[in-house]
PDB file of all heavy atoms in Angstrom:
ATOM      1  N   SER A 185     -11.198  28.194 -13.835  1.00 89.00           N
ATOM      2  CA  SER A 185     -12.144  27.412 -13.046  1.00 89.00           C
ATOM      3  C   SER A 185     -11.852  27.427 -11.499  1.00 89.00           C
ATOM      4  O   SER A 185     -10.784  28.033 -11.185  1.00 89.00           O
ATOM      5  CB  SER A 185     -12.074  25.954 -13.512  1.00 89.00           C
ATOM      6  OG  SER A 185     -11.081  25.227 -12.950  1.00 89.00           O
ATOM      7  N   THR A 186     -12.574  26.683 -10.687  1.00 93.00           N
ATOM      8  CA  THR A 186     -12.342  26.592  -9.290  1.00 93.00           C
ATOM      9  C   THR A 186     -11.793  25.310  -8.848  1.00 93.00           C
ATOM     10  O   THR A 186     -11.943  24.853  -7.756  1.00 93.00           O
ATOM     11  CB  THR A 186     -13.559  27.008  -8.425  1.00 93.00           C
ATOM     12  OG1 THR A 186     -14.635  26.033  -8.893  1.00 93.00           O
ATOM     13  CG2 THR A 186     -14.069  28.387  -8.699  1.00 93.00           C
ATOM     14  N   ALA A 187     -11.226  24.602  -9.850  1.00 96.00           N
ATOM     15  CA  ALA A 187     -10.650  23.237  -9.572  1.00 96.00           C
ATOM     16  C   ALA A 187      -9.447  23.482  -8.633  1.00 96.00           C
ATOM     17  O   ALA A 187      -8.834  24.493  -8.655  1.00 96.00           O
ATOM     18  CB  ALA A 187     -10.352  22.529 -10.813  1.00 96.00           C
ATOM     19  N   PHE A 188      -8.891  22.370  -8.041  1.00 97.00           N
ATOM     20  CA  PHE A 188      -7.838  22.451  -7.104  1.00 97.00           C
ATOM     21  C   PHE A 188      -6.554  23.103  -7.750  1.00 97.00           C
ATOM     22  O   PHE A 188      -6.009  24.073  -7.254  1.00 97.00           O
ATOM     23  CB  PHE A 188      -7.533  21.059  -6.581  1.00 97.00           C
ATOM     24  CG  PHE A 188      -6.396  20.978  -5.640  1.00 97.00           C
ATOM     25  CD1 PHE A 188      -6.439  21.340  -4.304  1.00 97.00           C
ATOM     26  CD2 PHE A 188      -5.081  20.603  -6.143  1.00 97.00           C
ATOM     27  CE1 PHE A 188      -5.383  21.293  -3.510  1.00 97.00           C
ATOM     28  CE2 PHE A 188      -4.057  20.569  -5.300  1.00 97.00           C
ATOM     29  CZ  PHE A 188      -4.145  20.903  -3.893  1.00 97.00           C
ATOM     30  N   GLU A 189      -6.152  22.536  -8.877  1.00 97.00           N
ATOM     31  CA  GLU A 189      -4.960  23.036  -9.504  1.00 97.00           C
ATOM     32  C   GLU A 189      -4.985  24.499  -9.940  1.00 97.00           C
ATOM     33  O   GLU A 189      -4.008  25.316  -9.881  1.00 97.00           O
ATOM     34  CB  GLU A 189      -4.596  22.255 -10.754  1.00 97.00           C
ATOM     35  CG  GLU A 189      -5.601  22.076 -11.838  1.00 97.00           C
ATOM     36  CD  GLU A 189      -5.154  22.176 -13.193  1.00 97.00           C
ATOM     37  OE1 GLU A 189      -4.320  23.097 -13.520  1.00 97.00           O
ATOM     38  OE2 GLU A 189      -5.478  21.341 -14.000  1.00 97.00           O
ATOM     39  N   GLU A 190      -6.299  24.964 -10.305  1.00 96.00           N
ATOM     40  CA  GLU A 190      -6.380  26.287 -10.834  1.00 96.00           C
ATOM     41  C   GLU A 190      -6.608  27.198  -9.558  1.00 96.00           C
ATOM     42  O   GLU A 190      -6.287  28.445  -9.703  1.00 96.00           O
ATOM     43  CB  GLU A 190      -7.533  26.455 -11.765  1.00 96.00           C
ATOM     44  CG  GLU A 190      -7.292  25.576 -12.954  1.00 96.00           C
ATOM     45  CD  GLU A 190      -8.083  25.992 -14.213  1.00 96.00           C
ATOM     46  OE1 GLU A 190      -8.381  27.115 -14.412  1.00 96.00           O
ATOM     47  OE2 GLU A 190      -8.597  24.990 -14.995  1.00 96.00           O
ATOM     48  N   ALA A 191      -7.071  26.814  -8.380  1.00 97.00           N
ATOM     49  CA  ALA A 191      -7.028  27.644  -7.164  1.00 97.00           C
ATOM     50  C   ALA A 191      -5.525  27.829  -6.797  1.00 97.00           C
ATOM     51  O   ALA A 191      -5.354  28.925  -6.255  1.00 97.00           O
ATOM     52  CB  ALA A 191      -7.851  26.902  -6.091  1.00 97.00           C
ATOM     53  N   VAL A 192      -4.723  26.920  -6.924  1.00 98.00           N
ATOM     54  CA  VAL A 192      -3.378  27.144  -6.676  1.00 98.00           C
ATOM     55  C   VAL A 192      -2.689  28.160  -7.545  1.00 98.00           C
ATOM     56  O   VAL A 192      -2.042  29.200  -7.096  1.00 98.00           O
ATOM     57  CB  VAL A 192      -2.516  25.803  -6.801  1.00 98.00           C
ATOM     58  CG1 VAL A 192      -1.032  26.153  -6.650  1.00 98.00           C
ATOM     59  CG2 VAL A 192      -3.036  24.839  -5.767  1.00 98.00           C
ATOM     60  N   THR A 193      -2.977  28.145  -8.842  1.00 97.00           N
ATOM     61  CA  THR A 193      -2.425  29.068  -9.861  1.00 97.00           C
ATOM     62  C   THR A 193      -3.074  30.490  -9.554  1.00 97.00           C
ATOM     63  O   THR A 193      -2.386  31.472  -9.775  1.00 97.00           O
ATOM     64  CB  THR A 193      -2.676  28.639 -11.197  1.00 97.00           C
ATOM     65  OG1 THR A 193      -4.037  28.532 -11.544  1.00 97.00           O
ATOM     66  CG2 THR A 193      -1.926  27.406 -11.459  1.00 97.00           C
ATOM     67  N   HIS A 194      -4.259  30.540  -9.163  1.00 97.00           N
ATOM     68  CA  HIS A 194      -4.892  31.790  -8.930  1.00 97.00           C
ATOM     69  C   HIS A 194      -4.188  32.454  -7.722  1.00 97.00           C
ATOM     70  O   HIS A 194      -4.051  33.643  -7.803  1.00 97.00           O
ATOM     71  CB  HIS A 194      -6.408  31.561  -8.568  1.00 97.00           C
ATOM     72  CG  HIS A 194      -7.128  32.878  -8.240  1.00 97.00           C
ATOM     73  ND1 HIS A 194      -7.102  33.548  -6.947  1.00 97.00           N
ATOM     74  CD2 HIS A 194      -7.905  33.558  -8.978  1.00 97.00           C
ATOM     75  CE1 HIS A 194      -7.855  34.651  -7.009  1.00 97.00           C
ATOM     76  NE2 HIS A 194      -8.342  34.627  -8.221  1.00 97.00           N
ATOM     77  N   ALA A 195      -3.901  31.748  -6.698  1.00 97.00           N
ATOM     78  CA  ALA A 195      -3.200  32.274  -5.590  1.00 97.00           C
ATOM     79  C   ALA A 195      -1.832  32.794  -5.998  1.00 97.00           C
ATOM     80  O   ALA A 195      -1.302  33.899  -5.570  1.00 97.00           O
ATOM     81  CB  ALA A 195      -3.050  31.289  -4.456  1.00 97.00           C
ATOM     82  N   TRP A 196      -1.131  32.087  -6.881  1.00 97.00           N
ATOM     83  CA  TRP A 196       0.265  32.565  -7.276  1.00 97.00           C
ATOM     84  C   TRP A 196       0.003  33.845  -8.127  1.00 97.00           C
ATOM     85  O   TRP A 196       0.867  34.737  -8.019  1.00 97.00           O
ATOM     86  CB  TRP A 196       0.897  31.469  -8.039  1.00 97.00           C
ATOM     87  CG  TRP A 196       1.355  30.216  -7.229  1.00 97.00           C
ATOM     88  CD1 TRP A 196       1.493  30.303  -5.965  1.00 97.00           C
ATOM     89  CD2 TRP A 196       1.634  28.939  -7.756  1.00 97.00           C
ATOM     90  NE1 TRP A 196       1.992  29.000  -5.588  1.00 97.00           N
ATOM     91  CE2 TRP A 196       2.027  28.185  -6.609  1.00 97.00           C
ATOM     92  CE3 TRP A 196       1.636  28.432  -8.977  1.00 97.00           C
ATOM     93  CZ2 TRP A 196       2.394  26.811  -6.837  1.00 97.00           C
ATOM     94  CZ3 TRP A 196       1.984  27.020  -9.179  1.00 97.00           C
ATOM     95  CH2 TRP A 196       2.373  26.223  -8.112  1.00 97.00           C
ATOM     96  N   LYS A 197      -0.901  33.838  -9.037  1.00 95.00           N
ATOM     97  CA  LYS A 197      -1.072  35.064  -9.854  1.00 95.00           C
ATOM     98  C   LYS A 197      -1.413  36.250  -8.972  1.00 95.00           C
ATOM     99  O   LYS A 197      -1.035  37.429  -9.374  1.00 95.00           O
ATOM    100  CB  LYS A 197      -2.336  34.803 -10.784  1.00 95.00           C
ATOM    101  CG  LYS A 197      -2.093  33.889 -11.856  1.00 95.00           C
ATOM    102  CD  LYS A 197      -3.297  33.713 -12.737  1.00 95.00           C
ATOM    103  CE  LYS A 197      -3.185  32.557 -13.825  1.00 95.00           C
ATOM    104  NZ  LYS A 197      -4.341  32.435 -14.578  1.00 95.00           N
ATOM    105  N   ALA A 198      -2.104  36.122  -7.842  1.00 93.00           N
ATOM    106  CA  ALA A 198      -2.431  37.221  -7.042  1.00 93.00           C
ATOM    107  C   ALA A 198      -1.382  37.518  -6.006  1.00 93.00           C
ATOM    108  O   ALA A 198      -1.566  38.409  -5.082  1.00 93.00           O
ATOM    109  CB  ALA A 198      -3.728  36.922  -6.279  1.00 93.00           C
ATOM    110  N   GLY A 199      -0.236  36.850  -6.013  1.00 89.00           N
ATOM    111  CA  GLY A 199       0.799  37.002  -5.025  1.00 89.00           C
ATOM    112  C   GLY A 199       1.812  37.971  -5.423  1.00 89.00           C
ATOM    113  O   GLY A 199       1.902  38.413  -6.584  1.00 89.00           O
ATOM    114  N   ASP A 200       2.728  38.232  -4.521  1.00 90.00           N
ATOM    115  CA  ASP A 200       3.871  39.060  -4.718  1.00 90.00           C
ATOM    116  C   ASP A 200       4.904  38.409  -5.453  1.00 90.00           C
ATOM    117  O   ASP A 200       5.259  37.243  -5.175  1.00 90.00           O
ATOM    118  CB  ASP A 200       4.455  39.590  -3.360  1.00 90.00           C
ATOM    119  CG  ASP A 200       5.576  40.528  -3.491  1.00 90.00           C
ATOM    120  OD1 ASP A 200       6.005  40.812  -4.666  1.00 90.00           O
ATOM    121  OD2 ASP A 200       6.167  40.969  -2.460  1.00 90.00           O
ATOM    122  N   LEU A 201       5.380  38.961  -6.516  1.00 91.00           N
ATOM    123  CA  LEU A 201       6.438  38.236  -7.369  1.00 91.00           C
ATOM    124  C   LEU A 201       7.748  38.083  -6.636  1.00 91.00           C
ATOM    125  O   LEU A 201       8.418  37.005  -6.918  1.00 91.00           O
ATOM    126  CB  LEU A 201       6.759  39.053  -8.665  1.00 91.00           C
ATOM    127  CG  LEU A 201       5.640  39.092  -9.734  1.00 91.00           C
ATOM    128  CD1 LEU A 201       6.070  39.959 -10.888  1.00 91.00           C
ATOM    129  CD2 LEU A 201       5.275  37.656 -10.153  1.00 91.00           C
ATOM    130  N   GLY A 202       8.139  38.834  -5.701  1.00 87.00           N
ATOM    131  CA  GLY A 202       9.241  38.644  -4.994  1.00 87.00           C
ATOM    132  C   GLY A 202      10.513  38.690  -5.961  1.00 87.00           C
ATOM    133  O   GLY A 202      10.678  39.620  -6.798  1.00 87.00           O
ATOM    134  N   ALA A 203      11.312  37.691  -5.962  1.00 88.00           N
ATOM    135  CA  ALA A 203      12.494  37.545  -6.832  1.00 88.00           C
ATOM    136  C   ALA A 203      12.124  36.906  -8.171  1.00 88.00           C
ATOM    137  O   ALA A 203      13.019  36.776  -8.955  1.00 88.00           O
ATOM    138  CB  ALA A 203      13.633  36.756  -6.102  1.00 88.00           C
ATOM    139  N   ARG A 204      10.909  36.600  -8.303  1.00 93.00           N
ATOM    140  CA  ARG A 204      10.551  35.907  -9.589  1.00 93.00           C
ATOM    141  C   ARG A 204      10.255  36.936 -10.652  1.00 93.00           C
ATOM    142  O   ARG A 204       9.677  37.989 -10.427  1.00 93.00           O
ATOM    143  CB  ARG A 204       9.333  35.059  -9.356  1.00 93.00           C
ATOM    144  CG  ARG A 204       9.383  33.948  -8.373  1.00 93.00           C
ATOM    145  CD  ARG A 204       8.052  33.307  -8.148  1.00 93.00           C
ATOM    146  NE  ARG A 204       8.129  32.478  -6.989  1.00 93.00           N
ATOM    147  CZ  ARG A 204       8.458  31.171  -6.877  1.00 93.00           C
ATOM    148  NH1 ARG A 204       8.826  30.579  -7.932  1.00 93.00           N
ATOM    149  NH2 ARG A 204       8.422  30.430  -5.725  1.00 93.00           N
ATOM    150  N   ALA A 205      10.601  36.599 -11.885  1.00 93.00           N
ATOM    151  CA  ALA A 205      10.376  37.473 -13.116  1.00 93.00           C
ATOM    152  C   ALA A 205       8.904  37.376 -13.494  1.00 93.00           C
ATOM    153  O   ALA A 205       8.316  38.268 -14.103  1.00 93.00           O
ATOM    154  CB  ALA A 205      11.305  37.072 -14.261  1.00 93.00           C
ATOM    155  N   ALA A 206       8.274  36.286 -13.181  1.00 95.00           N
ATOM    156  CA  ALA A 206       6.822  36.086 -13.550  1.00 95.00           C
ATOM    157  C   ALA A 206       6.117  35.197 -12.409  1.00 95.00           C
ATOM    158  O   ALA A 206       6.916  34.409 -11.755  1.00 95.00           O
ATOM    159  CB  ALA A 206       6.616  35.456 -14.876  1.00 95.00           C
ATOM    160  N   TRP A 207       4.959  35.204 -12.346  1.00 96.00           N
ATOM    161  CA  TRP A 207       4.360  34.480 -11.221  1.00 96.00           C
ATOM    162  C   TRP A 207       4.505  32.951 -11.386  1.00 96.00           C
ATOM    163  O   TRP A 207       4.465  32.234 -10.421  1.00 96.00           O
ATOM    164  CB  TRP A 207       2.840  34.726 -11.185  1.00 96.00           C
ATOM    165  CG  TRP A 207       2.012  34.246 -12.289  1.00 96.00           C
ATOM    166  CD1 TRP A 207       1.649  34.935 -13.501  1.00 96.00           C
ATOM    167  CD2 TRP A 207       1.457  32.901 -12.616  1.00 96.00           C
ATOM    168  NE1 TRP A 207       0.968  34.218 -14.368  1.00 96.00           N
ATOM    169  CE2 TRP A 207       0.775  32.893 -13.849  1.00 96.00           C
ATOM    170  CE3 TRP A 207       1.427  31.811 -11.874  1.00 96.00           C
ATOM    171  CZ2 TRP A 207       0.125  31.784 -14.350  1.00 96.00           C
ATOM    172  CZ3 TRP A 207       0.822  30.637 -12.341  1.00 96.00           C
ATOM    173  CH2 TRP A 207       0.141  30.728 -13.587  1.00 96.00           C
ATOM    174  N   HIS A 208       4.762  32.532 -12.573  1.00 96.00           N
ATOM    175  CA  HIS A 208       4.867  31.016 -12.867  1.00 96.00           C
ATOM    176  C   HIS A 208       6.321  30.614 -12.910  1.00 96.00           C
ATOM    177  O   HIS A 208       6.564  29.388 -13.133  1.00 96.00           O
ATOM    178  CB  HIS A 208       4.216  30.642 -14.135  1.00 96.00           C
ATOM    179  CG  HIS A 208       4.500  31.539 -15.321  1.00 96.00           C
ATOM    180  ND1 HIS A 208       5.647  31.431 -16.083  1.00 96.00           N
ATOM    181  CD2 HIS A 208       3.867  32.634 -15.838  1.00 96.00           C
ATOM    182  CE1 HIS A 208       5.721  32.323 -16.977  1.00 96.00           C
ATOM    183  NE2 HIS A 208       4.618  33.097 -16.898  1.00 96.00           N
ATOM    184  N   GLU A 209       7.246  31.547 -12.825  1.00 96.00           N
ATOM    185  CA  GLU A 209       8.621  31.166 -12.856  1.00 96.00           C
ATOM    186  C   GLU A 209       8.950  30.222 -11.641  1.00 96.00           C
ATOM    187  O   GLU A 209       8.698  30.382 -10.500  1.00 96.00           O
ATOM    188  CB  GLU A 209       9.616  32.341 -12.723  1.00 96.00           C
ATOM    189  CG  GLU A 209      11.004  32.004 -12.730  1.00 96.00           C
ATOM    190  CD  GLU A 209      11.956  33.204 -12.602  1.00 96.00           C
ATOM    191  OE1 GLU A 209      11.521  34.240 -12.049  1.00 96.00           O
ATOM    192  OE2 GLU A 209      13.061  33.156 -13.104  1.00 96.00           O
ATOM    193  N   GLY A 210       9.578  28.963 -12.004  1.00 96.00           N
ATOM    194  CA  GLY A 210       9.968  28.012 -10.994  1.00 96.00           C
ATOM    195  C   GLY A 210       8.739  27.254 -10.357  1.00 96.00           C
ATOM    196  O   GLY A 210       8.951  26.564  -9.357  1.00 96.00           O
ATOM    197  N   ARG A 211       7.585  27.418 -10.970  1.00 97.00           N
ATOM    198  CA  ARG A 211       6.466  26.754 -10.311  1.00 97.00           C
ATOM    199  C   ARG A 211       5.728  25.984 -11.382  1.00 97.00           C
ATOM    200  O   ARG A 211       5.841  26.191 -12.559  1.00 97.00           O
ATOM    201  CB  ARG A 211       5.403  27.885  -9.829  1.00 97.00           C
ATOM    202  CG  ARG A 211       5.849  28.627  -8.649  1.00 97.00           C
ATOM    203  CD  ARG A 211       4.941  29.781  -8.343  1.00 97.00           C
ATOM    204  NE  ARG A 211       5.252  30.404  -6.991  1.00 97.00           N
ATOM    205  CZ  ARG A 211       4.825  31.685  -6.776  1.00 97.00           C
ATOM    206  NH1 ARG A 211       4.269  32.417  -7.614  1.00 97.00           N
ATOM    207  NH2 ARG A 211       4.999  32.020  -5.504  1.00 97.00           N
ATOM    208  N   ILE A 212       4.806  25.054 -10.933  1.00 98.00           N
ATOM    209  CA  ILE A 212       3.869  24.404 -11.739  1.00 98.00           C
ATOM    210  C   ILE A 212       2.803  23.816 -10.933  1.00 98.00           C
ATOM    211  O   ILE A 212       3.016  23.374  -9.748  1.00 98.00           O
ATOM    212  CB  ILE A 212       4.511  23.254 -12.572  1.00 98.00           C
ATOM    213  CG1 ILE A 212       3.636  22.910 -13.726  1.00 98.00           C
ATOM    214  CG2 ILE A 212       4.946  22.084 -11.768  1.00 98.00           C
ATOM    215  CD1 ILE A 212       4.218  21.966 -14.794  1.00 98.00           C
TER     216      ILE A 212
END
Side-chain angles (χ1 to χ4, degrees):
S185 85
T186 57
F188 177 82
E189 55 137 315
E190 297 199 43
V192 172
T193 60
H194 181 278
W196 289 341
K197 290 177 184 179
D200 184 359
L201 289 180
R204 302 176 193 270
W207 68 265
H208 48 81
E209 182 182 22
R211 289 171 168 158
I212 195 168

